[in-house]
């Protein structure tokens, strides 16, 4: 009796000890293989720094199909995790925009959400009787904190991926998308980035859309390099977009020393110069090397932009008049091989889960100086059917008639963009300081650990313009008018700049991967009856077998006791 009481007392003390320890030391255990319920340390620290309540409204609710129900469940689980580390400061609700007493009320709610940047998508589904039906779904989340508000798109729609893959990608990026919006509302210190001028770079209207996108995160400036190289020191990143004129040694020195101090550079350089005006008025033009006097400097950092033109079977379409001379014009879509749709490499946070990137007259990139302490990673590449045309050479509209054969397109996965990370040697380590530099600082011969992104096409950042003067209309970056399709240029470049300026590792959240475990649809259809019978009969058989064995053991036990 005493021993039993002692056991009860010890058990009670253990329970109380666990309770008091858990009150003072918060912890959670994630047993999933992908750690899908584990938040990063950066996210945990961000949540612990909240001094006000976070109000979240998720507009993904109501009568949803299985895919959107899975996304809704993932969003709820993520918000529960955020709330656990924020000290119950996260309050969230789910709202069904389609819920309304009348069609007028529902349409009014739709218009209100779209006016705040949340666009609904039309989903085709079937009811219980197999009838096709259409629903409007708003896969959006609105976050409010300290008087500020941000909307988050929960659904990623990457062309070429199936619905299940896009939903899985959406779940993978939930933590990054939510914390990205939250950081924009919390951070008061706005870093600065600069577009370099003075070498024929794209003018402001041609990079307007990208500048607007960057302005959500940074103070965006434009300007030329002065005689003092330290003018660049206050910028987190420098963007060199499509120069056509030679860089002076003075400017190259200023950029080099900026990199040596740990500065980051986004290079968007054309390897070949094409006269588009002559191509639009004639059927051919000449492509020549775009020599802007940066080859030696980039070679020193471990990369070379080749003087060539890359053609790819995976490319944009353009309207071409196929009618005979004298007949009424007849335009048909034809492949424009000089505008490859570059594939994004899924193994890096910059390019993971992005749509193809639209390019125009792009060149290839080679990695050189392999002895450098620099890690080089491709970001965008061509498809398996690529042709490389060295320059100087003729660029003709007749290329649309080339057959998509392996004889002509005999190369594959040419690198069009890459990221370089590590310690870079100075291009001026054993050279005199160029004339015109007014600085008392000594030449730094080796950089701090830093990184740069090199893209062999200046057009990747250029947006199209319609009209002139007051009627001028800026088209979204990456949008193709003829194909009426949006490509991944804007998000790719934004990720590139964010990665370059990311000193805390937030971009690593884009590398999270959740395995997509789909059922074998062929087996489901072909073996449907077998699995239905198995799922119904097997549990019953197991239960019956257990009952027989249990009764047999029980009968033997009590029969034996009676004989004794």
């Amino acid at each position: 009796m005493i021993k039993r009481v002692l056991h009860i007392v010890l058990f009670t003390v253990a329970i109380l000890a666990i309770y008091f320890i858990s009150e003072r030391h918060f912890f959670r255990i994630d047993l999933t293989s992908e750690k899908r319920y584990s938040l990063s340390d950066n996210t945990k620290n961000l949540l612990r720094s909240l001094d006000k309540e976070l109000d979240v409204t998720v507009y993904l609710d109501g009568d949803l199909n299985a895919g959107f129900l899975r996304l809704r469940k993932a969003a709820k689980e993520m918000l529960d995790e955020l709330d656990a580390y924020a000290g119950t400061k996260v309050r969230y609700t789910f709202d069904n925009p389609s819920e309304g007493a009348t069609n007028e009320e529902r349409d009014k709610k739709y218009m209100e959400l779209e006016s705040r940047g949340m666009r609904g998508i039309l989903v085709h589904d079937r009811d219980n009787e197999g009838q096709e039906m259409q629903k409007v779904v708003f896969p959006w989340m609105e976050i409010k904190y300290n008087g500020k508000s941000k909307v988050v798109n929960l659904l990623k729609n990457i062309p070429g991926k199936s619905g299940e893959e896009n939903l899985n990608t959406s779940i993978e990026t939930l933590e990054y998308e939510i914390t990205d919006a939250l950081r924009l509302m919390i951070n008061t210190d706005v870093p600065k980035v600069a577009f370099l001028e003075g070498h024929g770079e794209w003018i402001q209207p041609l990079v307007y859309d990208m500048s607007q996108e960057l302005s959500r995160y940074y103070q965006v400036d434009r300007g030329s390099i002065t005689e003092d190289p330290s003018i660049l020191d206050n910028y987190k990143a420098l963007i060199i977009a499509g120069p056509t004129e030679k860089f002076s040694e003075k400017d190259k020195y200023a950029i080099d020393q900026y990199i040596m101090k740990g500065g980051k550079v986004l290079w968007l350089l054309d390897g070949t110069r094409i006269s588009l005006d002559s191509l639009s008025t004639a059927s051919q033009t000449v492509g020549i090397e775009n020599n802007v006097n940066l080859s030696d400097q980039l070679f020193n950092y471990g990369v070379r932009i080749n003087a060539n033109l890359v053609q790819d079977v995976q490319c944009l379409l353009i309207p071409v008049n196929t009618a005979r001379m004298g007949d009424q014009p007849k335009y048909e879509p034809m492949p424009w091989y000089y505008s490859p749709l570059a594939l994004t490499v899924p193994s890096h946070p910059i390019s993971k889960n992005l749509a193809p990137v639209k390019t125009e007259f792009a060149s290839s990139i080679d990695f050189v100086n392999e002895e450098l302490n620099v890690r080089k990673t491709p970001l965008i590449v061509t498809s398996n059917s690529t042709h490389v045309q060295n320059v100087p050479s003729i660029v003709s509209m007749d290329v649309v008639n080339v057959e998509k054969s392996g004889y002509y397109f005999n190369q594959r996965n040419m690198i069009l963009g890459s990221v370089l990370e590590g310690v870079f040697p100075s291009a001026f380590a054993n050279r005199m300081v160029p004339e015109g530099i007014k600085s008392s600082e000594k030449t730094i011969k080796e950089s701090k650990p830093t990184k740069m992104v090199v893209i062999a096409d200046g057009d990747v950042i250029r947006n199209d313009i319609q009209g002139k003067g007051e009627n001028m209309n800026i088209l979204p970056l990456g949008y193709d008018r003829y194909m009426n399709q949006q490509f991944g240029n804007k998000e790719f470049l934004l990720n590139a700049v964010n990665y370059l300026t990311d000193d805390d590792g937030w971009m690593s959240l884009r590398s999270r991967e959740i395995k997509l475990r789909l059922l074998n649809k062929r087996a489901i259809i072909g073996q449907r009856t077998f699995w239905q019978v198995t799922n119904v009969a097997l549990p019953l058989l197991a239960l019956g077998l257990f009952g027989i064995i249990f009764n047999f053991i029980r009968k033997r036990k009590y029969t034996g006791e009676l004989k004794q």
Side-chain angles (χ1 to χ4, degrees):
M1 183 67 182
I2 296 175
K3 187 179 288 187
R4 182 174 296 179
V5 172
L6 183 61
H7 286 167
I8 294 173
V9 171
L10 290 175
F11 179 77
T12 305
V13 171
I15 294 296
L16 291 173
I18 293 173
Y19 172 76
F20 284 113
I21 291 172
S22 63
E23 280 288 305
R24 288 169 170 77
H25 303 282
F26 171 79
F27 67 93
R28 294 167 77 85
I29 301 175
D30 186 355
L31 300 179
T32 59
S33 60
E34 303 105 342
K35 299 300 178 185
R36 64 171 64 194
Y37 302 114
S38 298
L39 300 179
S40 70
D41 291 337
N42 283 338
T43 300
K44 294 174 185 177
N45 294 332
L46 178 69
L47 294 169
R48 292 178 184 129
S49 69
L50 297 179
D51 54 3
K52 292 180 175 60
E53 288 189 338
L54 191 71
D55 291 319
V56 181
T57 303
V58 184
Y59 295 99
L60 192 61
D61 203 12
D63 185 16
L64 305 172
N65 61 27
F68 282 110
L69 282 175
R70 180 167 165 251
L71 181 58
R72 181 193 185 281
K73 180 175 179 288
K76 184 181 184 303
E77 290 171 347
M78 178 60 66
L79 291 171
D80 286 336
E81 286 296 307
L82 297 176
D83 185 51
Y85 287 97
T88 67
K89 288 190 178 72
V90 179
R91 301 186 305 180
Y92 65 86
T93 57
F94 282 82
D95 183 21
N96 180 12
S98 299
E99 194 173 37
T102 63
N103 291 338
E104 289 75 13
E105 289 183 8
R106 183 190 61 193
D107 293 341
K108 183 179 180 182
K109 184 65 176 291
Y110 288 172
M111 292 178 62
E112 179 191 351
L113 293 177
E114 294 196 0
S115 67
R116 283 151 49 196
M118 293 176 277
R119 298 191 62 182
I121 61 173
L122 192 63
V123 178
H124 297 272
D125 206 350
R126 293 184 181 274
D127 58 19
N128 296 331
E129 298 179 356
Q131 297 294 324
E132 188 171 334
M133 57 187 299
Q134 294 181 344
K135 299 176 184 177
V136 178
V137 177
F138 284 83
W140 291 85
M141 174 187 295
E142 186 173 19
I143 303 175
K144 295 180 180 179
Y145 179 78
N146 196 23
K148 298 179 181 179
S149 176
K150 293 287 181 184
V151 295
V152 177
N153 188 0
L154 302 179
L155 181 64
K156 296 290 183 182
N157 188 13
I158 303 172
K161 287 193 174 185
S162 66
E164 291 90 349
E165 290 173 326
N166 276 322
L167 284 168
N168 201 62
T169 298
S170 304
I171 294 171
E172 288 175 342
T173 57
L174 271 176
E175 182 181 351
Y176 175 77
E177 296 294 339
I178 294 173
T179 54
D180 184 56
L182 187 55
R183 284 184 292 128
L184 286 176
M185 290 188 287
I186 293 177
N187 291 343
T188 56
D189 183 22
V190 181
K192 297 193 294 183
V193 299
F195 281 86
L196 191 62
E197 293 181 333
H199 315 91
E201 292 88 353
W202 296 124
I203 59 175
Q204 171 65 15
L206 293 177
V207 293
Y208 178 83
D209 195 34
M210 193 65 230
S211 299
Q212 289 295 106
E213 189 70 15
L214 289 172
S215 65
R216 295 172 48 222
Y217 298 82
Y218 310 96
Q219 175 184 321
V220 182
D221 295 336
R222 297 180 64 88
S224 303
I225 299 174
T226 64
E227 297 175 344
D228 183 6
S230 63
I231 191 173
L232 301 176
D233 294 350
N234 294 328
Y235 292 97
K236 293 280 286 184
L238 184 65
I239 303 172
I240 303 176
T244 56
E245 300 173 6
K246 288 187 176 182
F247 281 68
S248 66
E249 295 301 309
K250 174 179 70 70
D251 288 355
K252 290 168 61 177
Y253 179 84
I255 297 170
D256 177 82
Q257 291 302 290
Y258 167 74
I259 294 172
M260 295 304 108
K261 295 175 184 177
K264 285 85 174 180
V265 180
L266 171 58
W267 307 85
L268 297 116
L269 309 175
D270 290 301
T272 300
R273 186 178 302 181
I274 299 290
S275 175
L276 293 178
D277 292 335
S278 60
L279 189 61
S280 61
T281 57
S283 61
Q284 63 182 30
T285 186
V286 177
I288 60 174
E289 180 182 0
N290 184 40
N291 181 13
V292 292
N293 195 29
L294 288 175
S295 298
D296 59 335
Q297 189 164 353
L298 290 175
F299 189 95
N300 194 76
Y301 301 148
V303 69
R304 175 176 60 218
I305 296 178
N306 297 308
N308 59 25
L309 290 169
V310 174
Q311 301 174 34
D312 197 340
V313 167
Q314 180 170 292
C315 60
L316 292 179
L317 299 177
I318 59 171
V320 175
N321 184 12
T322 58
R324 293 181 298 179
M325 186 174 297
D327 293 346
Q328 187 173 355
K330 180 183 178 182
Y331 290 94
E332 292 185 6
M334 301 289 284
W336 182 235
Y337 300 126
Y338 287 113
S339 286
L341 296 176
L343 303 173
T344 52
V345 177
S347 59
H348 198 277
I350 293 178
S351 49
K352 181 180 173 67
N353 292 329
L354 293 183
V357 173
K358 184 180 76 167
T359 67
E360 186 173 14
F361 298 116
S363 300
S364 65
I365 287 177
D366 288 337
F367 294 144
V368 294
N369 276 0
E370 295 301 328
E371 68 276 5
L372 297 178
N373 185 23
V374 175
R375 183 170 74 253
K376 306 163 187 176
T377 308
L379 296 177
I380 52 175
V381 298
T382 63
S383 73
N384 294 334
S385 300
T386 303
H387 176 78
V388 176
Q389 175 184 346
N390 293 318
V391 296
S393 60
I394 299 295
V395 176
S396 173
M397 290 293 295
D398 291 337
V399 74
V400 299
N401 298 315
V402 174
E403 293 185 4
K404 300 178 181 180
S405 64
Y407 174 77
Y408 185 77
F409 295 98
N410 56 2
Q411 299 191 53
R412 57 188 298 165
N413 301 136
M414 306 299 295
I415 301 172
L416 306 183
S418 63
V419 58
L420 284 64
E421 304 170 83
V423 176
F424 297 89
S426 171
F428 291 83
N430 301 309
R431 297 169 58 184
M432 297 288 292
V433 176
E435 293 185 7
I437 294 293
K438 294 183 179 180
S439 175
S440 58
E441 298 179 359
K442 292 184 178 180
T443 300
I444 304 173
K445 297 185 178 182
E446 188 176 79
S447 78
K448 297 178 180 179
T450 186
K451 43 197 171 184
M452 63 179 70
V453 171
V454 181
I455 301 172
D457 179 22
D459 293 289
V460 168
I461 199 172
R462 178 179 62 84
N463 54 249
D464 288 333
I465 298 176
Q466 282 182 325
K468 295 181 180 179
E470 296 180 355
N471 298 322
M472 186 172 66
N473 181 30
I474 304 292
L475 297 180
L477 175 61
Y479 175 73
D480 184 72
R481 286 177 283 182
Y482 183 69
M483 296 179 66
N484 191 28
Q485 188 171 341
Q486 180 69 44
F487 295 100
N489 297 48
K490 188 189 301 187
E491 192 172 358
F492 171 70
L493 292 174
L494 179 63
N495 288 345
V497 177
N498 284 344
Y499 184 81
L500 291 176
T501 61
D502 180 21
D503 298 325
D504 300 318
W506 285 104
M507 287 294 293
S508 62
L509 293 179
R510 298 195 78 257
S511 297
R512 169 168 288 185
E513 185 173 355
I514 299 176
K515 293 181 181 179
L516 189 61
R517 298 176 175 90
L518 299 176
L519 296 175
N520 188 329
K521 294 183 178 180
R522 182 177 297 177
I524 292 173
I525 297 172
Q527 306 172 18
R528 181 177 181 179
T529 303
F530 170 77
W531 289 111
Q532 284 177 335
V533 173
T534 301
N535 288 330
V536 173
L538 192 61
L540 294 176
L541 289 173
L543 186 61
L545 184 62
F546 171 78
I548 293 170
I549 295 173
F550 177 78
N551 285 327
F552 177 76
I553 295 173
R554 185 172 182 272
K555 186 176 181 179
R556 286 193 60 182
K557 176 181 177 183
Y558 287 105
T559 301
E561 290 180 355
L562 287 174
K563 287 181 179 181
Q564 293 178 1

